[in-house]
Amino acid sequence: MTGRVVIVGYGMAGSRLASELRARDGDRKIVVLGAEPHRAYNRIMLSNLLAGKIDETQVELTEAAGHGVDIRPGVTVTAVDPVAATVTTDRNDTISYDHLVLATGSRAMVPPLPGLVPDPDRLPERVVAFRTLDDCRRILAAATGARTALVLGGGLLGLEAARGLASRGLDVRVVHPVGHLMNRQLDPAAGAVLARTLAGLGVISHLDAAATAVHVDADRVTLELAAGQILTADLLVLACGVRPETGLARSAGLTVERGIVVDDRLATSDPRIFAIGDCAQHEGQLTGLVAPAWAQARVLAGVLSGDRAGDRYRPQAPVTRLKAAGIDLAAMGDLGPVDGSEPAVEELSFTDPARGTYARLRIVRERLTGAIMLGDNPAVGTVIQLFDRGTPVPSDRRALLLGRAVGDRSGTPVESPALMPDAATVCQCNTVPKGALVRCWRAGARSVAEVVTATRATTGCGSCRDAVEGIVHWLSTADSAEVSG
């Protein structure tokens, strides 16, 4: 493919697409326009930055540098003209395109409460939405000298923020309007175990607690609750969900519902305009996770470059991970009400609140269709692989719940690297199978860093780091005859 591809958005989706296009043959010009004034960064790692475990350089993503790539951070696109095939920027530049990709992401939602304005960039001092790198910087600035914090929202993002602040020594309280934490991914029993675990880490949960108003004075924030309770703190973090950025698409006359509507090629209602990532709506669904965004970038790069023009995006059931100090959680699939007409449904669960452990599996016709794994359970990798691949579960179901074979007191994981098939996915975000790690090792990589550079494993949510390190250790000690997968 020749011509110019303009990518609007320099986040995790836009930067990955630029890298994918740059790696393919062809004479093309790639222009990337990012409203944020930073290099592309890993949004998933912001909670680690908030916790002080890493610095800003460690959240940066590798740029798609090289001939034919023009990256312009700090440039906002103000209009798209599909007839003229141009975009206009806030610097009064008009840029033509042969293909346009909208990777505009999403925006933090501000709840409609007295004391708050809808724009997350115009919130009162000591009130910050948690979404971007600049948000993270504002939270860290407000946390300097603070002793207490409130987090409004008990979903994944809110708990990441709460755990990060607690790691800095703040007393943190999470306010959530539903009866259990992470209600989109967890059942009430898992939510209760998670709340108890968080309490032991310095994060107290207020559940079934609807906020009604916010008051901010010189040095305190007050949150009023519907039940009449009043909570005060030095800092209030908003983690109330996100909304896809669709303004450019609407103004350009593209089909927009909750997100920008795309087909299997990621094309919008205009065949020269595409959308990927948080802003895209495929088959009525929004993604909001990095793995689907990167999968979309990979498919679209093949379509635009022409080297895999027949590729089509096929969504995979996502796996949600929360992995912070003291917490290890994986949730996947459907655990909603069961259709009574399905006779072959097995429900298994194990709870140990004192140890912060909860496991639940749903098996339908010998396939794992849903699971929650909370706490230290070495079977979590095996459970994720069974879910992703749709392979039959082992006959000893309890081995998955307990993380070891029944009667084995050694705590040996259900599956070691030597027993893992090459097709087993190790890094969910980047769809890296074990076989790719082995091939990388055979090609000359001799450290975790070299394997990561070659395969991109661990560069998404980072939760597969232990697994990648374990496989590299196994490769470094195994005889060549044993490294067969």
Side-chain angles (χ1 to χ4, degrees):
M1 179 202 74
T2 60
R4 175 181 286 168
V5 178
V6 174
I7 302 171
V8 180
Y10 190 37
M12 297 184 75
S15 63
R16 176 56 63 91
L17 176 61
S19 294
E20 293 277 359
L21 287 171
R22 175 69 183 86
R24 285 167 164 78
D25 294 332
D27 181 18
R28 70 184 69 87
K29 177 73 172 177
I30 304 167
V31 180
V32 188
L33 307 171
E36 293 187 67
H38 323 290
R39 294 178 59 177
Y41 59 90
N42 188 334
R43 204 180 300 275
I44 301 172
M45 303 301 288
L46 291 181
S47 58
N48 288 334
L49 180 62
L50 202 59
K53 296 168 62 177
I54 58 176
D55 59 34
E56 287 193 8
T57 62
Q58 293 171 281
V59 303
E60 292 178 350
L61 295 171
T62 303
E63 291 190 335
H67 178 69
V69 181
D70 180 7
I71 297 174
R72 307 183 195 179
V75 176
T76 300
V77 174
T78 57
V80 174
D81 186 338
V83 176
T86 61
V87 299
T88 303
T89 76
D90 58 352
R91 301 184 182 184
N92 294 320
D93 294 326
T94 299
I95 303 169
S96 62
Y97 63 82
D98 294 289
H99 297 283
L100 175 66
V101 181
L102 300 177
T104 48
S106 55
R107 187 177 184 82
M109 292 177 58
V110 177
L113 297 176
L116 300 180
V117 295
D119 185 352
D121 294 326
R122 297 177 53 241
L123 291 169
E125 191 175 356
R126 297 185 177 277
V127 179
V128 187
F130 183 39
R131 176 65 180 163
T132 68
L133 177 57
D134 284 337
D135 293 337
C136 195
R137 289 172 174 171
R138 284 192 285 266
I139 293 171
L140 289 174
T144 301
R147 293 182 298 176
T148 58
L150 295 170
V151 176
L152 187 56
L156 178 63
L157 195 61
L159 298 188
E160 288 179 340
R163 187 67 192 103
L165 290 170
S167 295
R168 289 184 173 269
L170 278 70
D171 290 329
V172 183
R173 286 171 287 176
V174 172
V175 178
H176 192 51
V178 186
H180 66 279
L181 298 172
M182 290 185 64
N183 51 286
R184 292 186 177 182
Q185 294 87 16
L186 304 185
D187 57 25
V193 174
L194 179 57
R196 178 170 176 162
T197 299
L198 284 166
L201 298 171
V203 178
I204 303 302
S205 302
H206 296 262
L207 304 174
D208 272 328
T212 57
V214 174
H215 303 281
V216 183
D217 57 30
D219 57 0
R220 301 291 283 174
V221 180
T222 300
L223 188 66
E224 294 184 9
L225 305 183
Q229 190 175 7
I230 295 177
L231 304 177
T232 62
D234 302 315
L235 167 67
L236 172 62
V237 176
L238 304 179
C240 305
V242 297
R243 179 180 292 111
E245 288 278 19
T246 59
L248 283 176
R250 287 185 186 276
S251 297
L254 304 179
T255 300
V256 176
E257 294 175 358
R258 290 186 300 152
I260 305 168
V261 176
V262 298
D263 61 17
D264 290 349
R265 298 172 63 249
L266 289 315
T268 69
S269 51
D270 184 312
R272 289 190 294 182
I273 303 178
F274 302 79
I276 60 173
D278 287 5
C279 67
Q281 177 182 317
H282 177 264
E283 294 184 349
Q285 299 298 314
L286 301 170
T287 62
L289 297 172
V290 64
W294 283 351
Q296 290 172 356
R298 184 168 56 251
V299 169
L300 183 54
V303 170
L304 293 180
S305 64
D307 61 354
R308 296 185 65 90
D311 279 4
R312 297 295 181 265
Y313 174 63
R314 297 289 183 263
Q316 300 294 315
V319 177
T320 300
R321 295 300 303 267
L322 172 60
K323 193 164 186 178
I327 306 173
D328 192 355
L329 167 67
M332 63 210 78
D334 180 18
L335 290 170
V338 178
D339 182 355
S341 63
E342 176 57 74
V345 177
E346 297 178 57
E347 293 276 1
L348 301 95
S349 63
F350 170 77
T351 309
D352 186 350
R355 294 181 180 271
T357 301
Y358 178 86
R360 178 183 173 189
L361 307 176
R362 175 174 291 176
I363 299 168
V364 178
R365 300 186 185 279
E366 297 299 309
R367 265 60 176 181
L368 186 68
T369 62
I372 298 171
M373 306 292 284
L374 173 60
D376 183 15
N377 188 329
V380 63
T382 300
V383 169
I384 292 174
Q385 291 161 19
L386 289 169
F387 174 74
D388 279 339
R389 300 174 64 207
T391 51
V393 298
S395 58
D396 185 358
R397 316 296 208 227
R398 291 170 294 179
L400 297 179
L401 285 177
L402 303 178
R404 60 181 183 271
V406 175
D408 176 11
R409 298 184 180 181
S410 66
T412 302
V414 174
E415 189 166 288
S416 72
L419 299 176
M420 289 173 63
D422 277 356
T425 301
V426 178
C427 176
Q428 304 295 322
C429 296
N430 289 288
T431 321
V432 180
K434 174 209 168 186
L437 303 178
V438 172
R439 290 190 295 273
C440 179
W441 185 268
R442 287 173 172 167
R446 286 298 177 267
S447 68
V448 172
E450 291 176 353
V451 169
V452 167
T453 298
T455 65
R456 290 175 171 160
T458 78
T459 62
C461 69
S463 63
C464 64
R465 183 83 187 186
D466 291 345
V468 172
E469 289 177 347
I471 290 172
V472 170
H473 176 71
W474 164 69
L475 288 166
S476 68
T477 57
D479 293 332
S480 59
E482 294 177 319
V483 186
S484 56

